[in-house]
Amino acid sequence: MGSVRRRRFVAGLLLAPLLTGCFASGGSSDGASSPGSGSGGRLRMALAFPPTENFSPYGADATLLSRLGVTEGLTRLDGNGAASPALAESWSRESDGSWLFTLREARFQDGTEVTPESVAAALTHAASATPVPTALAEVKLTATPSGDHRVRVTTAEPDPALPFRLAGPSMAVLSPKAYAKDAEGGKDAEGSKDAEGPKSSASKTDGSTKRGAVNPVGTATGPFELTKVTGSTGATLDRFDDYWGGRAHASGIDARFIADGTARANALRSGEEDIAEAIPVAQAASLAEGAAHEVSTTRNTSLHLNTRSGPFKDPRFRAAARRAIDTSVLAENVHEGHADPAQGIFGPALTWAKGKRAKPVGRAEAALGKDVKGTTLTIATYDNRPELPEVAQVLQQQLEKAGFTVKLTVREYARIESDALAGKFDAFVSARNTMLDTGDPVSALSTDFTCDGSYNLALLCDRGVDRAVATADSLVDPGKRQDAAMAAEARILGTDAVVPLVHQRIIVGVAPAVRGVTLDPYERALATASTRR
């Protein structure tokens, strides 16, 4: 497509409203209507990533279950990123380490009632899973029933972010049947790692709370019940008529897992599918008018510089690398205008961050000049997301222009994550949804940039950063917590351990007749009870 036509197409998408709730496809005014009588037909969906862990809720498949409307937790994130009611209709903090959640009346898809006992058991299973779900990577959680319709959740250390953690897809509440050792489909499996977050790999296990032994088929609480899984090619979901939020409009969902983006776009274009996620930029303009919907996400692409060994142990070399990078080129050329040049760790999808960003603190600005010339470094990335190798190639050119000698290493994510975390590369290009695991900005900073962080790709250990993150983590008020998170971001950016590159957007393809699809910057929701055609 010519540059003029591309710019017009991009401009049209940029004029589309950013929504975190439902939108009305095709111009209808009732796209955000409440669930109704449930007389609609079945939805056909093309999804980009197949299940890799037998649909276990504790790993990467948790997000898939959430996007299909199968699972729910006690809380969810609203459009402003705040924790809001889901299976819990309210909650209160009793003390630093204790929270009391009041449950709404609801049923599991196997017909049993959602009780304090069943919720406590579900949370206990999640807390004892191996490996631990990423939402609980930094806390030790205990859940106990507390009278009628109440569950008490305690943590070993004070955790003001607990309501955010419980909104994570991996904290789904399932019925007791899901955790039975002999549950159908509950065989252990060895899956892949989450390409945008802390280590969440499924390992072969033999306990009932181990990752592979949890069966969400017919045991969740969402508007759609998972009834059949066809390996890694598809899944069948039927409407759950007793859903507490009202019967879904659609009678069910027929999902297909199509890895190739062009094939997903073709399936939507031909009418084989009603919804197709992650449409490639090159395919979006060929869809029917109004079918391409773009949304900013909390997924950022960043360059993490190894602060423990190699040339980037010296902050002056990190500063030289950061000054050599032009992020506008990455947003406009590599992403063809479907990304925003990086503003920091937290991007424009997080509306609360606007106007709160502070100047980086303690940044080294001493020029190295000729001292950079001849310095050899290795940049690594993965090809699961096709734009990342191209980003790495552009960075190679920009850094070599500044005097560095750069080698590239590209592998599948599952074959490169452990080496990256071990510091075997000088720099690592990664796409990371900062809000996917907990929805709490402070927890994301703690995981990714503190001395004990479980996904610290830069191997950063800076006491000033740790103090800033700890200060933010001590605050309960959401607004003050966000302010402190931005102050901690300024400390992190001041180390030049990470160079934010672009804030990503995604394009969701939706047939003109479909209504009520959710455009979620957190990438947790897609189909809900309101989605229909």
Side-chain angles (χ1 to χ4, degrees), residues 106-108 111 221 239-247:
R107 286 190 173 275
F108 292 109
T221 61
R239 179 174 55 219
F240 175 43
D241 289 340
D242 287 335
Y243 178 54
W244 61 265
R247 295 179 70 198

Side-chain angles (χ1 to χ4, degrees), residues 8 15 86 117 156 165 189 191 209 211 234 250 280 379 417 465 484 532:
R8 289 174 178 171
L15 292 174
E117 291 76 15
R165 295 187 191 279
T209 63
R211 177 150 308 170
I379 296 178
E417 183 199 48
V465 168
R532 66 197 186 280

Side-chain angles (χ1 to χ4, degrees), residues 299-316:
R299 183 178 301 281
N300 299 335
T301 298
S302 299
L303 177 68
H304 300 264
L305 304 180
N306 185 346
T307 62
R308 182 177 296 174
S309 62
F312 293 133
K313 185 177 180 179
D314 186 334
R316 295 175 301 163

Side-chain angles (χ1 to χ4, degrees), residues 319 322 360-366 493-496 498 500:
R322 181 251 307 162
V361 176
R363 176 170 274 175
E365 293 293 353
L493 294 178
T495 69
D496 282 327
V498 60

Side-chain angles (χ1 to χ4, degrees), residues 168 199 209 300 335 354-355 409 420 437 441 493 531:
K199 297 177 77 172
T209 63
N300 299 335
H335 289 271
K354 185 177 182 180
T409 296
D437 298 327
L493 294 178
T531 310

Side-chain angles (χ1 to χ4, degrees), residues 18-22 77-80 295 349 518-522 525:
L18 170 61
L19 302 177
T20 55
C22 298
L77 295 183
D78 66 15
N80 295 318
V295 59
T518 298
L519 294 179
D520 179 15
Y522 305 100

Side-chain angles (χ1 to χ4, degrees), residues 386-473:
E387 74 277 2
L388 294 185
E390 189 174 350
V391 166
Q393 290 174 357
V394 174
L395 294 180
Q396 179 184 33
Q397 295 168 6
Q398 294 181 346
L399 291 171
E400 287 184 338
K401 185 177 180 180
F404 291 97
T405 299
V406 183
K407 299 178 181 178
L408 295 183
T409 296
V410 180
R411 305 178 200 157
E412 292 182 359
Y413 187 82
R415 298 177 54 244
I416 205 169
E417 183 199 48
S418 59
D419 283 350
L421 290 170
K424 293 186 178 181
F425 310 113
D426 298 306
F428 190 71
V429 179
S430 176
R432 170 86 158 105
N433 191 323
T434 55
M435 297 290 102
L436 183 62
D437 298 327
T438 66
D440 172 46
V442 180
S443 297
L445 296 181
S446 179
T447 299
D448 291 12
F449 299 107
T450 62
C451 294
D452 296 326
S454 60
Y455 198 65
N456 189 344
L457 290 169
L459 303 176
L460 178 66
C461 190
D462 183 279
R463 298 305 175 188
V465 168
D466 277 19
R467 284 194 296 269
V469 173
T471 297
D473 201 27

